[in-house]
């Protein structure tokens, strides 16, 4: 058996997943898709936490993963409420059409 | 056996994550993200984190993503109001920057953080994780409780009718 499954492979996968989330947050202009990209990034961090927990045999990483999940839940609740509020007043959720604070000059 | 499961789950995770950010409508993106989170929980099981994997499916895929789907249905976006995906130079550059960013994260992890080795078995039952959460991480636990309280009150205030 020449190939063995190491925690390092999971860290690499986590970096890739974080990159996908970052790309989504950069190239998409839909507020809901933006929030989902942020969820992807939080999950990539979770994966790396769990991989390091395996690397060092320490369950503390699992505790942190739960805290990340709680923060993701709070972020989703507040973010979605803001999106609904914006949609009620502006009838759009495309973030580049929300330019009330843009300098007119 | 483990390697086959890892390859399948990792490939599925990357494909569905890409589908999440490239989906034409937010609803398809949300459904793709649910599948991605289930694949991620498979990876958690491979890393001796079965409790976190169960919570991932219950809390993330079961609660948070259902909240997303509820909001998408509530907004009822018409097809005409959604602009198609368009490509511009800044978006291509942004995507390349994101890929470079993730490559640098991986490089930094390998240079500083990840020693070689197959890792050690982790005993992470509900008992172990709960004891750790309520002893060493008690302050963080309480702070998360306050944060969740704010996250309950905040949407209620935002949802009140006097937004104008």
């Amino acid at each position: 058996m020449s190939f063995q499954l190491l925690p390092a492979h999971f860290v690499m996968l986590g970096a890739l997943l974080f990159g996908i989330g970052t790309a989504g947050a950069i190239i998409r202009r839909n507020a809901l898709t933006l929030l989902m990209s942020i969820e992807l990034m939080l999950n990539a961090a979770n994966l790396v936490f769990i991989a390091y927990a395996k690397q060092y045999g320490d369950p503390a990483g699992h505790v942190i993963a739960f805290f990340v999940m709680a923060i993701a839940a709070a972020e989703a609740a507040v973010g979605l409420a803001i999106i609904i509020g914006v949609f009620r007043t502006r009838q759009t959720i495309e973030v580049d059409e929300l330019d009330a604070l843009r300098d007119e000059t | 056996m483990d390697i086959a499961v890892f390859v399948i789950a990792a490939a599925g995770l990357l494909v569905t994550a890409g589908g999440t950010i490239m989906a034409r409508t937010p609803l398809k993106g949300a459904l793709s993200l649910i599948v991605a989170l289930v694949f991620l929980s498979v990876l958690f099981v491979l890393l001796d984190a079965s409790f976190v994997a169960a919570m991932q499916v219950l809390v993330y895929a079961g609660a948070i993503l259902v909240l997303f789907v509820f909001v998408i249905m509530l907004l009822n976006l018409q097809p005409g109001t959604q602009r198609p995906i368009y490509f511009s130079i800044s978006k291509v550059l942004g995507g390349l920057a994101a890929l470079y960013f993730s490559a640098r994260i991986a490089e930094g992890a390998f240079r500083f953080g990840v020693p070689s080795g197959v890792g050690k078995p982790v005993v992470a039952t509900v008992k172990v994780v709960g004891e750790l959460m309520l002893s060493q991480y008690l302050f963080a636990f309480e702070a998360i409780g306050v944060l969740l309280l704010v996250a309950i009150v905040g949407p209620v205030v935002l949802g009140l009718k006097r937004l104008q």
Side-chain angles (χ1 to χ4, degrees):
Chain A
M1 200 63 203
S2 60
F3 184 79
Q4 221 175 356
L5 198 55
L6 306 176
H9 297 128
F10 290 89
V11 174
M12 217 157 28
L13 185 63
L16 261 177
L17 191 60
F18 195 93
I20 291 175
T22 315
I26 290 174
I27 65 176
R28 293 307 299 270
R29 286 290 168 266
N30 187 306
L32 285 163
T33 310
L34 271 177
L35 265 187
M36 286 191 273
S37 301
I38 294 170
E39 298 287 334
L40 274 180
M41 287 194 260
L42 287 167
N43 274 292
N46 255 356
L47 180 62
V48 175
F49 269 122
I50 303 285
Y52 275 86
K54 170 82 172 175
Q55 174 77 39
Y56 297 111
D58 185 359
H62 298 203
V63 179
I64 305 290
F66 281 115
F67 292 155
V68 172
M69 274 188 210
I71 289 173
E75 172 249 329
V78 177
L80 289 172
I82 291 173
I83 289 176
I84 290 178
V86 166
F87 184 76
R88 276 204 310 218
T89 54
R90 306 291 295 263
Q91 305 300 318
T92 180
I93 56 168
E94 303 287 330
V95 289
D96 52 357
E97 290 178 19
L98 307 175
D99 52 1
L101 293 181
R102 175 179 285 177
D103 192 359
E104 293 295 335
T105 55
Chain B
M1 177 61 195
D2 274 4
I3 293 169
V5 173
F6 174 77
V7 169
I8 293 171
L13 174 64
L14 291 178
V15 167
T16 49
T20 302
I21 67 166
M22 298 307 289
R24 291 190 176 278
T25 64
L27 183 60
K28 283 177 188 162
L31 296 178
S32 182
L33 184 55
I34 291 176
V35 181
L37 295 177
V38 173
F39 276 124
L40 198 59
S41 76
V42 173
L43 294 173
F44 287 168
V45 172
L46 282 182
L47 287 167
D48 294 345
S50 49
F51 183 42
V52 181
M55 286 301 122
Q56 175 89 4
V57 173
L58 284 178
V59 176
Y60 240 121
I64 299 179
L65 264 298
V66 169
L67 184 65
F68 270 94
V69 175
F70 271 171
V71 169
I72 292 166
M73 296 297 188
L74 184 67
L75 291 182
N76 191 21
L77 298 169
Q78 300 301 319
T81 63
Q82 297 181 45
R83 291 176 309 180
I85 301 173
Y86 61 93
F87 284 97
S88 61
I89 291 177
S90 64
K91 286 191 173 185
V92 173
L93 286 178
L96 289 177
L99 284 181
Y100 178 69
F101 183 49
S102 79
R104 290 308 295 267
I105 291 176
E107 185 206 347
F110 275 88
R111 188 177 296 168
F112 299 111
V114 179
S116 58
V118 295
K120 302 167 187 157
V122 191
V123 182
T125 57
V126 180
K127 185 167 181 286
V128 171
V129 173
E131 276 178 356
L132 207 54
M133 197 180 277
L134 291 177
S135 59
Q136 192 182 346
Y137 293 94
L138 182 62
F139 181 75
F141 182 73
E142 299 289 345
I144 292 283
V146 175
L147 177 73
L148 285 176
L149 178 68
V150 173
I152 292 169
V153 176
V156 172
V157 174
L158 284 172
L160 290 177
K161 279 274 179 186
R162 44 136 194 87
L163 271 178
Q164 286 79 352

